[in-house]
Amino acid sequence: MTQPSIKHALSVTRESDFAAWYQEVIAEAEMAEESGVRGCMVIKPWGYGIWERIQQIMDGRIKEAGVQNCYFPLFIPLSYFAKEAEHVEGFAKEMAVVTHHRLVSDGKGGLVPDPEARLEEPLVVRPTSETVIGAAMARWIQSWRDLPLLTNQWANVVRWEMRTRMFLRTSEFLWQEGHTAHADRSDAMAETLRALEMYRSFSEDVLAMPVIAGEKPENERFPGAVATYSIEAMMQDGKALQAGTSHYLGTAFAEAAGIRYQDREGQQTLCHTTSWGVSTRMIGGVIMTHGDDDGLRVPPAIAPHQIVILPMLREDDGDAALLAYCETLRAELAQQSALGERVRVLLDKRPGKATQKRWGWVKKGVPLILEIGGRDAAGEQVSALRRDRLWRADGKVNFVGQSRGDFVAGAADALEDVQRSLHAEATARRDAQIERGVSTLDGLADYFAEGNRYPGWVELGWSRPTGAALEAVVAKLKALKLTIRNTPMDAPAPGGTCPFTGEPAVETIYVARSY
RNA sequence: CGGGGAGUGGCGCAGCCCGGUAGCGCGUCUGCUUUGGGAGCAGAGGGUCGCAGGUUCGAAUCCUGUCUCCCCGACCA
């Protein structure tokens, strides 16, 4: 572990209390705060800035795939929602419902819903938009020429969760939801898998968060889906986080909403639909993948500021020259390109000592921090700190001095190296925590023996039971607080026997504790 | 939703048992001195004690209700 001489920026370490550490990162990095509304959070500029970066890059990739953005209503008529039975069953327990459209005084200084203003048909606040979008698709699609219909929306959704955690599970959250309609199963399945691959590569390349893409077991499917796929990331405490999902919905939603097209033979045919989404939960994944005992570390690709310049102001006559030097440096850096975009650099001119302001940026996780003093300005130098290499072995903050020209010329490489390093570090940790030597139920229990930190995931072969046989397996795992995460897409067929059924193993799964 | 814990200046906490007009540390502000690596000294500002009722001459403190947060569980695309 860390040297005892290091005075970390946070008061709680990951080792001592991972849940408390997670909350401290969010508070100290000023990402989000409580709102006073149960399960809902205020996303502050630094947290929202990260979300905007995710949105911008993801939106570009969605559009590259030929998907068009739309916007559908927040409110869904109850009758729409009621049409698909499994869907209803899945979400009914967590719906916010609008029943009135006016308030009146209660005579005691308060307000109550006006009994005279009850809605004839209640509206539900969308927990997801399959039903409203399905209704629109039914209007928009007539002929095979209208297919495929590829839509996406960026929106908020509400699910009345029993237990919430900032970013990971909030009652209201922000996401994108793609909804597509296709002529047949193979086209819809191709789209489902395209979205999954989009999420996998986004997670790896942009979030620097290694994930395993695969199919969810039957018991974990989206309500109403024929097949559900996910990307699963391993957090630093060894638990799994489902960071994105993609569903092949078959014709169930098409049937419920009447999404039909006239095929080339003139027959009315049901469409095959898909839906897929990622949410603000990804930010929670970034925190628990890259955070350390000094706060967040933001991958440069999604950092609102990639480089922050802190002038060491002395409130004397030298400040003007120092600021001019820093402004030159800022302008030079802003001309550079890294990770395919212009470098985002902030000159932090707020009053206060650079040494003091530094820790705020360290906790926010800015990839590169520059502290520039009068001597640097005079000698055309910079002092640079890489957030992912914060400490020297002697416990001192790891500033590296170099010429301004060298730093500017190397800035893009440095940012790209931070991006790579974060990914490499997370991948190495993840790989070291995947256990492949467990082949029995007892072995699973031993591997996941009690403790605050979980050892990781177990990869094993199983017989892919269904129905009641699967339920029996799920119950056994539940007793160990374990879940089946997914079946990886490109896994070779495993050998041996299934630890749950004793039958020959036919596919690989990951078993883990999860968020 | 069940069990447990907690809400007191921006943040972290004490005070509550045993009612008597709210305190500490950090941060903030002012001044002076320092200052190339998380500054020192002095002073100052800042709180409807989550909210609503109740008991009482008097409530942060006792009682009832309620809201929010955290942990465990159940639930969870």
Side-chain angles (χ1 to χ4, degrees), chain A residues 43-55:
Chain A
I43 306 178
K44 299 173 79 173
W46 191 246
Y48 199 76
I50 291 170
W51 177 241
E52 286 182 310
R53 293 291 311 150
I54 290 173
Q55 273 188 305

Side-chain angles (χ1 to χ4, degrees), chain A residues 132-175:
Chain A
V132 261
I133 295 182
M137 285 176 162
R139 295 192 299 273
W140 296 348
I141 296 168
Q142 272 108 46
S143 138
W144 62 273
R145 295 175 206 275
D146 299 323
L147 297 176
L149 179 64
L150 309 174
T151 64
N152 178 68
Q153 78 167 343
W154 289 92
N156 58 337
V157 287
V158 170
R159 299 176 187 181
W160 214 259
E161 299 288 350
M162 290 293 102
R163 185 177 177 185
T164 59
R165 291 166 188 258
M166 283 202 180
F167 291 111
L168 298 177
R169 175 169 284 108
T170 46
S171 292
E172 179 187 16
F173 58 92
L174 307 181
W175 76 347

Side-chain angles (χ1 to χ4, degrees), chain A residues 415-477:
Chain A
L415 289 170
E416 286 167 7
D417 193 56
V418 173
Q419 183 83 22
R420 265 195 307 278
S421 296
L422 289 175
H423 184 260
E425 183 182 325
T427 304
R429 185 175 51 239
R430 191 269 313 266
D431 291 347
Q433 295 185 102
I434 292 179
E435 171 61 43
R436 295 186 171 83
V438 173
S439 58
T440 64
L441 200 55
D442 284 346
L444 267 184
D446 290 345
Y447 182 72
F448 289 102
E450 280 314 304
N452 279 332
R453 288 164 70 83
Y454 308 117
W457 303 352
V458 169
E459 180 188 301
L460 53 80
W462 77 331
S463 61
R464 194 183 169 106
T466 59
L470 174 61
E471 290 310 313
V473 171
V474 169
K476 284 177 190 171
L477 288 172

